Amino acid sequence: MSEDEAAGGPGAIAQTARFALRAGLSRALPALRQVNQPDGFDCPGCAWPEAPDRGAIEFCENGAKAVAHEVTTKRIGREFFTSWSLAQLLAQPGRWLEAQGRLAEPLWRRPGSQHFEPISWHAALTRAGTALSALPSADAAVFYTSGRASNEAAFLYQLLAREYGTNNLPDCSNLCHESSGTGLGAMIGIGKGTVSLADFEQADLILVLGQNPGSNHPRMLTTLQQAARRGCRIVSVNPMRERGLVRFRNPQELGGLLGRGTDIASHFVRVKVGGDIALLKGVMKELLALEAERGGVLDRDFLAEHTLGAVALEESLADFDFAELEKRSGVPRRQMRELAELYASSERTIACWAMGLTQHRHGVGNVQEVMNLLLLRGNIGRPGAGPCPVRGHSNVQGDRTMGIWERPKPAFLAALEREFGFTPPRAAGFSTIEAIQAMLDGRVEVFVALGGNFAVASPDTTRVEEALSRQRLTVHVATKLNRTHLLGRESLLLPCLGRTERDLNAGRPQFVTVEDSMAQVHRSQGRLAPASEQLRSEVAIVAGLARATLGTGSRVPWEELAQDYDRIRDRIARVVPGCEDMNRRVREHGGFVLPRPPAERRFETTSGRAELCCVPLPRIEVPPGHLLLMTVRSHDQYNTTVYSDDDRYRGIRGDRRVVLVHADDLRELGFEAGARVDVTSHFAGPAGEETRTVQGFRLRPYDVPRGCAAAYFPEANPLVPLAHHAEGSLTPGYKSIVVSLRASS
């Protein structure tokens, strides 16, 4: 590998400068000075936490892109929408839509109209409230949330939905880490990780499973660099050898600019797509063999005092044959043994993971098997050890803490009832997959979104667009135009302040709060002038929508709460466990950490113990002539926002409609590199095999495991049917799709 094949380095600085220039230096430079600073705003990118001793530069290349994307000097208003019809806009790529600039005023597309037109705030909110009030049932509305919403906005949003009468609160967590929450909740009693940044300073082994921090959580590379330098061993478990885990050239160090950088992972385990459970079972079998050989490998005291199910797990592992585990995982037994010995010799182990584990039909099982491995050696509730699901959106974890969930806990609803004096609905609402099906079935007629690009982020794109197009009304709180906004019989666009922008109420500056991946709640306050005088905060928009919908009969003082966000935090403090005295604590340096009982070896499960479980071995059958495809993100995108057609870290330029396939598989399938193909997914439906097809993808030889392939999200999303989701969590199975290839006509 050449020097240029390390992550970071001068290339990261060049890209940061390029995007800052494109956005406009007058806004980009002040914003970058404030991002992730104690008196500034939280990066709108990933949820990796900030170190207490942060420096003047506390952002990565991809964070700079996200900030520049928001602070652009381009504006999109009435003149644009007079010129561009709905049909013309639908014909444009998503990147072009977002590149037109910030939404500058409320907009309305009347039923049957081909154009958006300006509308006053009062008229827009009244129109939305009237439509919601006219529905035959509160469950005929869906309130979707992206991870960009602040804690204060999210709390009011779920309060609006529940006083209105529904738990239909799907969110982007349903699409990404729902498998983590489901698996962790069942085993340790909480759907979050248990580690902090301080634990990374003490760990002597870090497992990075199904995660590409170099592109999706770049600031994590600094943490891994520090760990590697002090001798911590880092293991990458991934079908692809991702550049950020090979070597990192820290752009903030002279050695990162002029030298070769720091080697990050000490071991690479190239697991097949979907083979993680087979691999982990093999490692645990070898761990049990080491226990039998020399003893002291398993933490028997911890297992006896704090867990249930260890004996059943050990017995179940005996049923699996190594030959089958090697076949399913693609990893030879000798490497399973090597990993087991590495784990057995480590006193403190952290396991990190992301979408590579959660977005499978067996995504919950993947997470549970990781927890089985950690629990066998007591790697939870002690310094330098524990699970670390790494969130990819800046406040998706906080939104869930604030009650954005279609299946709220009874205790949370009871606290809402005590605080606000109305009876929240108890029946479960729709998750994202369930909401899409309900829209298709005609059970949902109004779709409200607090941020996000629902149609593009969701699976089965054609059907999702059909579902949204059937909606009587769609309402979007947004900063920029995207494809989802163009769907529905009638649409409202409500432009909001971005994270970077000043939020004033009657001349008084307001701040909001967010929660990072490690349960740290801290403040965020933008300082830039708003992109338009007509922008309103998310909090103000949600409160206005609530008043327009619920009227004077509401038990919630919406205007009073929207006037002063301290009043919202006072209510949160009385409703959300761990947020007591929130206003005082969040003003302290760094904010405060929410309770994570398993970090203290307290497990709030039914049994009061951590519960190991026997996870079935997935049997993914790939017929001859087919491949198992996973979706991935490029280095030049953030979720559904694509900045360019390049993927610098994988050496791909100018094209995102590509399929990465092993060169030997290409030869066996009879294709040449560069050939254009149509990709068809195959899955079992109610009436037999069903298919989905995307057209015009280019084949590129790449170092992926034999029989596997990769393509970019969201271009490959149409291949994933609604029914292809994780058991237990309903997370779409973006990472394991059986496909065939056919030459494009």
Side-chain angles (χ1 to χ4, degrees):
M1 176 172 289
S2 71
E3 299 299 322
D4 290 338
E5 290 179 309
I13 294 178
Q15 283 290 84
T16 297
R18 175 176 165 235
F19 276 82
L21 283 167
R22 181 188 297 176
L25 292 179
S26 63
R27 283 176 67 84
L29 289 182
L32 291 174
R33 285 197 294 267
Q34 298 161 13
V35 63
N36 291 329
Q37 295 301 321
D39 60 346
F41 63 91
D42 193 67
C43 179
C46 78
W48 191 254
E50 290 79 53
D53 56 345
R54 71 197 77 171
I57 298 177
E58 188 62 33
F59 58 85
C60 64
E61 173 192 340
N62 283 6
K65 291 174 184 174
V67 170
H69 188 69
E70 179 176 300
V71 305
T72 176
T73 55
K74 292 184 177 180
R75 304 290 179 263
I76 181 171
R78 61 186 68 191
E79 299 83 4
F80 174 87
F81 289 103
T82 299
S83 302
W84 286 85
S85 70
L86 183 64
Q88 290 173 317
L89 292 172
L90 284 168
Q92 299 300 319
R95 185 161 77 250
W96 185 91
L97 294 175
E98 294 193 39
Q100 301 314 301
R102 290 286 298 277
L103 293 165
E105 60 186 332
L107 296 158
W108 177 35
R109 184 171 55 79
R110 301 171 185 263
S113 173
Q114 277 286 305
H115 292 270
F116 282 93
E117 61 188 82
I119 185 173
S120 71
W121 273 106
H122 175 76
L125 295 172
T126 299
R127 180 72 199 102
T130 300
L132 286 166
S133 301
L135 291 177
S137 163
D139 288 331
V142 155
F143 296 84
Y144 176 76
T145 319
S146 87
R148 62 150 289 147
S150 68
N151 287 331
E152 291 73 14
F155 185 78
L156 290 193
Y157 195 59
Q158 63 82 30
L159 189 61
L160 157 61
R162 293 189 166 112
E163 191 178 19
Y164 175 66
T166 186
N167 282 316
N168 288 348
L169 283 157
D171 71 329
C172 59
S173 186
N174 296 150
L175 300 174
C176 57
H177 264 293
E178 198 67 53
S179 295
S180 296
T182 302
L184 290 170
M187 293 184 71
I188 62 173
I190 187 173
K192 302 180 182 182
T194 66
V195 302
S196 67
L197 280 182
D199 289 308
F200 280 82
E201 297 171 3
Q202 301 178 66
D204 48 23
L205 176 64
I206 299 172
L207 305 176
V208 183
L209 305 106
Q211 185 193 0
N212 178 15
S215 290
N216 299 321
H217 318 92
R219 285 191 302 121
M220 182 180 176
L221 291 182
T222 301
T223 302
L224 295 178
Q225 178 191 47
Q226 293 166 352
R229 283 176 170 172
R230 62 175 177 77
C232 175
R233 290 162 297 184
I234 299 170
V235 177
S236 167
V237 179
N238 200 306
M240 298 199 292
R241 189 180 173 98
E242 299 289 12
R243 184 181 296 190
L245 290 169
V246 175
R247 193 184 315 125
F248 176 48
R249 299 175 66 186
N250 192 330
Q252 298 188 40
E253 297 178 348
L254 184 60
L257 297 177
L258 303 178
R260 73 182 303 275
T262 304
D263 292 335
I264 300 298
S266 54
H267 296 72
F268 290 88
V269 181
R270 304 291 300 283
V271 66
K272 276 185 178 179
V273 172
D276 301 278
I277 288 176
L279 167 65
L280 292 168
K281 285 188 184 299
V283 173
M284 287 189 287
K285 281 176 69 70
E286 292 290 8
L287 202 67
L288 295 180
L290 290 172
E291 170 73 9
E293 291 168 14
R294 64 186 189 224
V297 172
L298 304 188
D299 191 335
R300 295 291 188 188
D301 291 340
F302 169 81
L303 291 171
E305 184 177 354
H306 294 290
T307 75
L308 291 177
V311 173
L313 173 62
E314 292 180 43
E315 292 175 349
S316 75
L317 289 170
D319 296 334
F320 297 101
D321 179 76
F322 270 111
E324 181 71 6
L325 297 179
E326 286 182 310
K327 175 185 174 183
R328 297 288 171 184
S329 68
V331 178
R333 180 177 178 179
R334 59 173 173 73
Q335 198 168 18
M336 296 177 184
R337 177 76 176 199
E338 180 184 17
L339 186 52
E341 290 175 339
L342 188 65
Y343 181 47
S345 65
S346 302
E347 292 299 318
R348 301 177 180 87
T349 298
I350 293 173
C352 309
W353 68 87
M355 308 298 94
L357 289 194
T358 62
Q359 292 178 331
H360 294 266
R361 288 188 68 89
H362 52 276
V364 174
N366 280 339
V367 172
Q368 291 176 324
E369 207 73 290
V370 172
M371 286 307 304
N372 282 336
L373 182 67
L374 288 176
L375 291 170
L376 284 175
R377 283 187 47 76
N379 275 304
I380 190 168
R382 66 183 183 202
C388 180
V390 182
R391 309 284 176 165
H393 213 313
S394 59
N395 198 43
V396 63
Q397 187 161 301
D399 289 351
R400 181 58 57 89
T401 300
M402 293 297 113
I404 301 292
W405 193 19
E406 72 277 4
R407 288 171 173 77
K409 292 183 178 180
F412 178 84
L413 296 179
L416 274 186
E417 186 167 2
R418 287 193 302 271
E419 180 64 25
F420 293 101
F422 70 88
T423 302
R426 261 56 180 186
F430 296 138
S431 68
T432 296
I433 294 294
E434 293 166 328
I436 294 166
Q437 191 60 59
M439 287 190 277
L440 285 168
D441 295 343
R443 289 175 288 148
V444 167
E445 302 177 45
V446 173
F447 176 85
V448 185
L450 183 57
N453 191 352
F454 187 84
V456 176
S458 298
D460 220 345
T461 310
T462 302
R463 296 191 73 203
V464 175
E465 291 194 357
E466 178 187 348
L468 286 165
S469 296
R470 294 182 183 185
Q471 296 304 286
R472 182 185 303 179
L473 174 67
T474 64
V475 182
H476 303 278
V477 180
T479 57
K480 287 191 170 187
L481 183 67
N482 65 48
R483 186 172 179 83
T484 305
H485 302 158
L486 307 177
L487 304 169
R489 300 176 193 171
E490 177 184 359
S491 299
L492 287 165
L493 302 185
L494 308 180
C496 67
L497 295 171
R499 284 272 181 89
T500 60
E501 291 169 323
R502 187 168 56 244
D503 184 358
L504 295 176
N505 261 346
R508 285 190 58 199
Q510 302 290 324
F511 70 86
V512 294
T513 62
V514 295
E515 177 186 345
D516 63 33
S517 270
M518 296 178 187
Q520 185 94 12
V521 178
H522 57 279
R523 60 187 290 165
S524 174
Q525 187 168 11
R527 307 284 180 177
L528 294 186
S532 164
E533 292 182 356
Q534 290 213 50
L535 301 187
R536 292 188 179 183
S537 70
E538 293 172 323
V539 166
I541 295 171
V542 172
L545 181 59
R547 179 57 73 200
T549 302
L550 303 171
T552 57
S554 173
R555 308 295 292 270
V556 179
W558 297 102
E559 293 84 0
E560 177 185 313
L561 294 176
Q563 244 175 20
D564 185 346
Y565 300 174
D566 277 356
R567 296 168 184 167
I568 304 173
R569 288 185 283 271
D570 282 340
R571 300 297 188 113
I572 292 172
R574 294 195 287 268
V575 171
V576 179
C579 288
E580 296 81 7
D581 199 15
M582 184 176 182
N583 271 312
R584 178 188 63 79
R585 294 163 68 204
V586 82
R587 284 176 164 87
E588 296 175 351
H589 180 71
F592 62 93
V593 180
L594 290 167
R596 295 164 298 168
E600 301 170 2
R601 294 193 165 178
R602 293 186 294 108
F603 302 101
E604 296 180 351
T605 59
T606 304
S607 65
R609 293 172 174 236
E611 299 183 3
L612 293 88
C613 59
C614 302
V615 178
L617 179 65
R619 297 186 178 276
I620 306 171
E621 302 301 335
V622 182
H626 293 61
L627 300 168
L628 190 61
L629 182 141
M630 62 178 176
T631 64
V632 296
R633 288 160 176 77
S634 77
H635 188 63
D636 220 1
Q637 78 177 101
Y638 172 65
N639 292 343
T640 60
T641 297
V642 177
Y643 302 120
S644 82
D645 286 336
D646 297 340
D647 188 351
R648 190 168 87 249
Y649 285 180
R650 297 192 181 103
I652 297 171
R653 302 278 179 180
D655 196 357
R656 289 181 52 86
R657 295 182 72 81
V658 297
V659 185
L660 309 182
V661 184
H662 195 283
D664 292 342
D665 284 330
L666 282 183
R667 281 191 291 271
E668 284 190 9
L669 293 170
F671 292 104
E672 294 185 357
R676 287 286 177 182
V677 297
D678 298 339
V679 186
T680 298
S681 62
H682 304 262
F683 59 96
E689 184 181 85
E690 296 184 31
T691 62
R692 302 282 190 274
T693 299
V694 293
Q695 298 177 324
F697 277 61
R698 180 169 57 89
L699 293 175
R700 183 181 177 96
Y702 202 85
D703 186 18
V704 295
R706 292 292 309 273
C708 300
Y712 289 121
F713 168 106
E715 285 82 358
N717 286 12
L719 294 172
V720 186
L722 291 178
H724 186 64
H725 54 68
E727 298 173 2
S729 71
L730 302 186
T731 300
Y734 296 114
K735 295 294 188 286
S736 51
I737 315 157
V738 175
V739 300
S740 61
L741 309 176
R742 183 184 62 214
S744 295
S745 55

